[in-house]
Amino acid sequence: MKLDKTSYYPKSNLDDDDSEEWLEQKPSELSDVDNSRIVVEKREPIEPDVINNSGSKQDDDNSQFLEDDGLPDTPFNNFINGVCTVLSWALVPLLMPLYGMLIAFNYSILNYMPASSKWVFSIIVFGFTVVIPMLLIVIMKRLGIIHDIGLNGRKERLIPYLITIISMGGTAVFMWHKGAPVWMNMFLAAGALAGFVNMLINFKWKISAHAAGIAGIVALIIRILSMEYHRPDTNTLLLVAIFLAGLLGSARIWQGRHTMWQVLAGYVVGFTSVILLTLT
């Protein structure tokens, strides 16, 4: 005699030949009994983390490196990370025009300018190339346009690049109207040019803006050394700038912000832009 189980076990479609058709039904189309059945979800395969050339994990959607750099939490590594962070912020690209002006005012023929004039122009350059861009970046952070004020994500750099290009170009025009030497105007224009080149490259590849900025300072010092007058210790300043450029590039690689090739490309763009425009 066949046992009748229908009184306490609901019939399961998983035993039927049309089980595939049952799995495709929407939950809203199932009866009260059907809703108690097991629903099998189809999940998309999870893509593995993208690993960049430096060994750090990288988000492929925004090219922003993750906070976990994979280094063990030791006092030495923490110290090195602290030094790298200080270098990255002390030599942030927005400060390069100001550093360039201070170098020009103290190591070139402009050293003979009145101190009051040096201060006025330095403050103006600081306002145009540092304060205004930083305020706009903070506003974009507040509005959710960017998520990292350090702009470590590749896709978050487009608008900041445009702001920097306009600020540098506007400062160059202002200094030209005030009778600044051509090479000084061209140094600021070269900053705008380097920003434009970096912006174009940034659509496909995350080039190092830090490396471009410090390389532009090295090129400016070389330009000052080519002038008839410069301070005797300008050669020492050049060596210090080259040393800092190497440290900064190493710091960006250590923290997983860039690969070696991205840093080298930044050096080439920044140095070439300043040399080509200031030596004309």
Side-chain angles (χ1 to χ4, degrees), residues 58-65 152-155 206:
Q58 188 177 10
D59 184 357
D60 191 46
D61 290 336
N62 61 3
S63 299
Q64 182 176 352
F65 288 86
N152 291 307
R154 179 176 61 86
K155 292 184 179 180
K206 186 185 174 188

Side-chain angles (χ1 to χ4, degrees), residues 134-274:
M134 278 304 301
L135 284 176
L136 293 175
I137 290 172
V138 170
I139 292 173
M140 287 191 294
K141 175 70 166 58
R142 294 282 187 179
L143 295 176
I145 299 175
I146 61 174
H147 300 88
D148 179 13
I149 199 170
L151 302 176
N152 291 307
R154 179 176 61 86
K155 292 184 179 180
E156 294 189 339
R157 293 186 170 193
L158 176 59
I159 297 178
Y161 267 132
L162 290 173
I163 293 172
T164 302
I165 293 169
I166 294 172
S167 298
M168 295 284 286
T171 306
V173 173
F174 171 81
M175 297 295 287
W176 175 72
H177 278 291
K178 294 299 180 180
V182 174
W183 60 268
M184 178 179 283
N185 299 330
M186 289 297 99
F187 166 70
L188 294 168
L193 174 62
F196 179 74
V197 174
N198 283 349
M199 182 184 69
L200 295 180
I201 296 175
N202 188 70
F203 283 108
K204 293 295 184 181
W205 198 49
K206 186 185 174 188
I207 190 171
S208 175
H210 278 78
I214 192 67
I217 294 296
V218 172
L220 174 65
I221 298 172
I222 292 176
R223 175 65 178 88
I224 292 175
L225 282 170
S226 69
M227 299 177 187
E228 186 176 351
Y229 171 83
H230 56 266
R231 277 176 43 173
D233 56 346
T234 307
N235 287 301
T236 303
L237 179 65
L238 176 62
L239 294 178
V240 171
I242 294 174
F243 178 70
L244 288 176
L247 279 182
L248 180 60
S250 300
R252 303 301 289 171
I253 296 172
W254 171 275
Q255 291 191 311
R257 302 303 185 188
H258 293 285
T259 65
M260 180 185 68
W261 291 110
Q262 291 169 346
V263 170
L264 292 177
Y267 288 149
V268 171
V269 171
F271 185 86
T272 303
S273 297
V274 174

Side-chain angles (χ1 to χ4, degrees), residues 118-133:
K118 294 180 184 179
W119 277 105
V120 169
F121 282 107
S122 297
I123 292 173
I124 291 173
V125 171
F126 179 76
F128 274 120
T129 62
V130 180
V131 175
I132 293 177

Side-chain angles (χ1 to χ4, degrees), residues 42-63:
K42 295 182 179 180
R43 298 182 179 272
E44 295 295 330
I46 300 175
E47 294 294 337
D49 293 326
V50 177
I51 306 297
N52 66 7
N53 293 336
S54 65
S56 300
K57 291 181 179 180
Q58 188 177 10
D59 184 357
D60 191 46
D61 290 336
N62 61 3
S63 299

